[in-house]
Amino acid sequence: MLLHAETQANFKTFIVFWLSQTVSQLGSAMTGYALVLWVYGQTNSALSVSLLTFCSYAPYVLVSVFAGGFVDRHRKKSIMLCADTVAFLCTLLIAALLLLNRLSVPWIYLVNAITGFMNAFQSPASAVANGRLVPQDKLTKMSGLQSISGSAVSLASPMLAAFLMSTFGIASVLLADVGTFLFAAGVLLFFIRIPGDDAVNRVQKRGFETPFAGLREGLAYAAVRTMILVFAALNFFSRISYENILSPMILSRSGSRQVLELVSGILGFGGVIGGILAARLAQPKNLPRRIFLPGILSFLFGDLLMGAGRTPLVWALAAVGGNLPIPVLDSGGQYLLYTHVPKEVQGRIFAVRNALQFAAIPAGIFLGGVMADRAFEPFMAGTSLAAQAFAQLVGQGAGSGMAVMFLTTGTCGLLCCTAGYIALSCVLKKQNGMKKEN
C-alpha cells in the first residue's frame, strides 16, 4: 500500500516536471526559431542556417559517446540544473550582444555549440530521471505525453516567436526564454525530488569514460543495440525527406506558401493525435510489433503517399499518415530501453543512443539537399525511360525529383522497419529461451 502511494506520488511529480520542462522547451524553441530568422536576414544564405544545426548536433553527438558514464555517477538533478543554467547564460550573452549592437553570426554558432555540448549531458540525465519517476505500467503514457508536448511546442513556437518579433522585436523572444527558464529551474530546484538521486554509482572515480568504453557498454544489450541501429537508419531517411526537402518540394509543386503552412501545421497536429493515442495504449506485449509496425505505416502512408501526391489534400493526408504513428513507435522504443537496461547504467545507454541515432541527422540533412539539386531534380528533368516511368507516378516539372526522393526514402524505410521487426523478434526470442533454460 505504501509502495503504491509512493509510486503515485512519483508519477504526479513527473507530471509537474514534464509541464515545467515543456514551458522551458517552448522558450528555447522560440529563441531557436528567432535566431534562424535573424541569421538568414543577416546572410541571406541557406548554408548559414544549416550551420546552426550542424553547430548544435556536432558537439552533442561527439560528447554523448562518453557523457553517459558521467551521468550515471552523478546526481541527475544537478546535471540538469547545470546544463539549463549554461543555456540561460548563453541566452543572456546573445541579449547583451544584441543590445550593444555587437551580435554577429559567429557568436550564434558558438552559443549553439555550447548548448549542444551541455545537452549531451542534460538529455540522458532527464531520460534517467523520468524513468525513476514513472512506474513501469505508465511508461507508454509518459512517452505519449512527451510526444504531445514536443509536437505542441513545434506547432506553437514559430507562431509565438514570429508574433513577438514582429510586435516587440527579437529581444522580447529572448526575454520570454529567460522567463521560461526561471520558471522551469525553480520548479526543478524546489519541487522535484528524483528517487535514488542521492545514491549515485561512484564505483569509478573518473568523471568521464573513453568513447570506446561508453560504446561497448551502450551496445552490450542485443535488443537495445538492434533498435538503436535501425532507428539511426530511420533517422537518416526521415532527415533526407521530411526534415529537408518537404518544404522546397511543396513550394515547387504548389507555388503556394499557404499550402506549405497547411501541411506543416497538419504534421504537428498528427504528432499531437499520435501522442494522445500512445498515452492511452497499454504496455506492449509484443515489442517488435509496437516499435516497427508504426514505422511501416509511417513510411507507407507518409513518405510514399507524400511523393505520389500532387494535391494539397493528398499531402495533408500524408502529413497525418506520416507523423501520427511516430509517437507510438517512440513509446515502444522507450519501453524497451527502460525495461531491458539496469537503472544504474541507463545514462550510458541513453547517451550512446543519442550519439548513434542523432549522428545520422546531419548526414541526412546535408545529403538530402545535395541529392535533390545534383541528382534527382536533373534526373527528372531528363528524357530517359526511367524518368518517364517515374513521371507516371509523381508527375513532371519542378519538384518531381524530390517527389521521387520521397518514394525512395519510403521504400528504404519500409525495408528497414521490416528488417528491424525480424531482427528484434529473433533477439527477444533468443533471450526468452535463455531465461527459460536458466
Side-chain angles (χ1 to χ4, degrees):
M1 191 71 179
L2 289 175
L3 181 61
H4 176 73
E6 182 181 357
T7 298
Q8 291 299 111
N10 285 341
F11 188 71
K12 290 179 180 178
T13 300
F14 162 75
I15 295 296
V16 174
F17 177 58
W18 165 67
L19 288 172
S20 66
Q21 290 298 301
T22 299
V23 172
S24 178
Q25 289 164 11
L26 177 62
S28 300
M30 288 168 58
T31 295
Y33 183 79
L35 291 178
V36 165
L37 295 181
W38 190 89
V39 168
Y40 189 76
Q42 296 292 311
T43 64
N44 198 33
S45 166
L47 177 60
S48 297
V49 174
S50 297
L51 285 174
L52 289 173
T53 303
F54 177 80
C55 288
S56 294
Y57 275 117
Y60 180 81
V61 169
L62 292 173
V63 177
S64 288
V65 175
F66 57 84
F70 181 89
V71 171
D72 282 330
R73 291 190 298 275
H74 294 81
R75 298 179 74 237
K76 316 305 176 279
K77 183 174 177 177
S78 298
I79 293 172
M80 289 186 285
L81 284 171
C82 180
D84 288 342
T85 300
V86 171
F88 167 71
L89 294 174
C90 286
T91 301
L92 289 183
L93 174 63
I94 293 292
L97 291 169
L98 186 66
L99 290 173
L100 295 172
N101 201 28
R102 297 288 184 88
L103 184 61
S104 60
V105 174
W107 277 110
I108 300 177
Y109 291 157
L110 175 63
V111 164
N112 275 21
I114 293 172
T115 54
F117 178 91
M118 296 308 299
N119 283 340
F121 297 92
Q122 198 272 351
S123 179
S126 178
V128 174
N130 288 331
R132 293 184 178 180
L133 289 168
V134 177
Q136 183 170 321
D137 63 340
K138 287 185 168 62
L139 287 174
T140 53
K141 185 173 185 177
M142 175 197 74
S143 182
L145 291 173
Q146 290 173 332
S147 295
I148 292 170
S149 60
S151 297
V153 166
S154 298
L155 272 173
S157 57
M159 294 185 290
L160 291 173
F163 169 75
L164 289 175
M165 286 184 70
S166 62
T167 307
F168 305 107
I170 190 173
S172 63
V173 179
L174 300 175
L175 182 61
D177 191 7
V178 169
T180 58
F181 160 78
L182 292 174
F183 169 75
V187 170
L188 177 58
L189 182 61
F190 296 111
F191 299 102
I192 304 299
R193 188 188 71 82
I194 300 170
D197 213 17
D198 294 323
V200 292
N201 180 13
R202 301 182 184 275
V203 173
Q204 294 176 326
K205 300 296 184 182
R206 295 169 299 158
F208 299 94
E209 296 176 328
T210 65
F212 296 109
L215 280 173
R216 282 196 299 270
E217 185 79 44
L219 297 178
Y221 302 88
V224 173
R225 179 176 66 244
T226 300
M227 185 191 71
I228 287 176
L229 294 177
V230 175
F231 275 19
L234 298 182
N235 271 347
F236 176 74
F237 295 130
S238 70
R239 263 48 184 195
I240 286 179
S241 54
Y242 272 99
E243 304 292 337
N244 198 358
I245 62 169
L246 176 63
S247 296
M249 185 193 77
I250 290 179
L251 288 173
S252 298
R253 309 204 82 184
S254 69
S256 170
R257 198 171 203 172
Q258 287 73 27
V259 172
L260 175 59
E261 291 172 353
L262 171 68
V263 174
S264 299
I266 291 175
L267 269 172
F269 177 74
V272 171
I273 298 302
I276 295 173
L277 175 61
R280 296 182 64 86
L281 289 174
Q283 299 178 68
K285 296 181 179 179
N286 186 320
L287 271 173
R289 184 186 303 163
R290 175 67 64 88
I291 295 171
F292 291 112
L293 180 58
I296 290 172
L297 295 176
S298 177
F299 282 103
L300 180 62
F301 295 108
D303 289 59
L304 292 179
L305 188 59
M306 189 70 75
R310 307 184 199 182
T311 66
L313 175 61
V314 177
W315 292 328
L317 292 173
V320 175
N323 224 26
L324 189 150
I326 298 302
V328 180
L329 177 153
D330 286 338
S331 71
Q334 294 271 57
Y335 188 87
L336 187 148
L337 286 168
Y338 283 117
T339 56
H340 283 68
V341 177
K343 289 184 177 182
E344 57 270 16
V345 296
Q346 284 181 355
R348 293 173 175 85
I349 305 305
F350 279 105
V352 170
R353 179 203 64 173
N354 293 343
L356 295 179
Q357 288 184 196
F358 289 110
I361 292 176
I365 291 174
F366 174 75
L367 286 177
V370 173
M371 290 166 64
D373 292 341
R374 304 288 178 86
F376 282 84
E377 285 294 310
F379 164 71
M380 287 303 292
T383 57
S384 66
L385 291 177
Q388 294 176 30
F390 276 114
Q392 300 299 313
L393 294 173
V394 303
Q396 295 177 310
S400 59
M402 287 179 277
V404 173
M405 287 180 66
F406 267 96
L407 296 182
T408 304
T409 58
T411 302
C412 292
L414 278 172
L415 293 175
C416 274
C417 287
T418 303
Y421 177 86
I422 295 171
L424 185 58
S425 297
C426 292
V427 168
L428 293 177
K429 184 177 181 180
K430 182 178 179 181
Q431 289 180 350
N432 291 335
M434 293 173 64
K435 288 180 180 178
K436 289 179 180 178
E437 290 178 2
N438 294 332

